Amino acid sequence: MSRVLHFVLALAVVALLALLLSSNRKQIRIRFIVQLLVIELILAWFFLNSEIGLGFVRGFSEMFEKLLSFANEGTNFVFGKMNDEGLAFFFLKVLCPIVFISALIGILQHIRVLPIVIRFIGTVLSKVNGMGKLESFNAVSSLILGQSENFIAYKDILGKMSRNRMYTMSATAMSTVSMSIVGAYMTMLDPKYVVAALVLNMFSTFIVLSLINPYRVDESEENIQMSNLHEGQSFFEMLGEYILAGFKVAIIVAAMLIGFIALIAALNALFAAVFGISFQGILGYIFYPVAWVMGVPAHEALQVGSIMATKLVSNEFVAMLDLQKLAGTLSPRAEGILSVFLVSFANFSSIGIIAGAIKGLNEEQGNVVSRFGLKLVYGATLVSILSASIAGLFL
């Protein structure tokens, strides 16, 4: 089947699955969906095929390589020769740099650069996505601040949000990733696919949410006051808080990896003993048709489906480690499609992270988010499928 037919099929499957759980099909506005899709296709070609786009990706990648080299200075001072000798590689080379990137984000937030960027890009997006400014700002702030800290920026208006808006805000946070861990992703995946996924996921989120959770925003609801995340704090108070927050993220990711990898290994052994097939093997068969629909060649769809499912039940880092084990055995097309799919927070553990973050700011809204937790994962996974399918069209 040609790439175009595969893409059309993937588009139809995503649309059908979104419509199955749509909250109000009569509110769907096709014009904005088509508009978003055209823009996303142009951006996918730009970042994956054009010389200018690939040049931008190289520049972005080189910037993060430089930042990671600065981060290594701090890691080397604390851990000495362990880093130079490649010991505890994943923790020292992949997770520890999150602390430095988090500190940089804190500085840019403190000097008011990020709020200006969020408002500018969010305002532009609101002109083309048919959604409110709040939803558009949230898409950008989620990408920069991460799914937990992001909601602090909206703490003063959380209690006034409708159920529809809470779903959109939460699903957007789950469908994107934090800039603080982009550097970590770039040590595990081709930077080209990481950058493409960051952009594609933002537009795919708007498309999927326009189908699964359509609603109109009243003009009276558009007076948005984003809160200052660290109001009243001195520069060094803020810096210390962001550094600790970055280290907390690194430790949480490390703990999740230890637990999930051990659990999956145990399940693989148990299923192999009882059923003669590993747990991941079974998951591979479940996700096989999804991988094929996305454009993965049929003979590789089982392996790719297994990694996709692993990401859903654990997290993206576990899945990326599995992908690294297959380095060189997958075709560039399959690897590219899978890489784009993996760059998001769409997994079951994110339900607790997002609901917990919101509950800490507004208990009632936190309970609302908990109740539609499975629908959040469903919508965010459709976003990843759509982004990967669009990438597959140009790979």
Side-chain angles (χ1 to χ4, degrees), residues 33-103:
I33 294 171
V34 172
Q35 196 167 273
L36 288 165
L37 186 59
V38 170
I39 294 171
E40 188 170 7
L41 288 169
I42 293 170
L43 289 172
W45 172 82
F46 178 76
F47 285 110
L48 294 173
N49 279 28
S50 76
E51 283 303 316
I52 298 175
L54 291 172
F56 175 86
V57 171
R58 281 193 292 272
F60 196 74
S61 174
E62 287 168 6
M63 179 189 75
F64 267 93
E65 280 180 21
K66 196 67 178 174
L67 292 178
L68 292 174
S69 71
F70 295 146
N72 283 340
E73 293 293 324
T75 307
N76 282 333
F77 180 81
V78 175
F79 294 98
K81 292 183 179 179
M82 285 180 66
N83 199 16
D84 294 333
E85 294 172 5
L87 300 174
F89 174 84
F90 190 85
F91 182 75
L92 298 181
K93 287 286 189 183
V94 178
L95 298 184
C96 282
I98 293 173
V99 179
F100 175 60
I101 304 296
S102 179

Side-chain angles (χ1 to χ4, degrees), residues 60 64 101 105 142-146 177-183 198:
F60 196 74
F64 267 93
I101 304 296
I105 289 173
S142 293
L143 176 63
I144 294 172
L145 302 173
V177 294
S178 166
M179 287 296 288
S180 64
I181 62 173
V182 165
L198 294 177

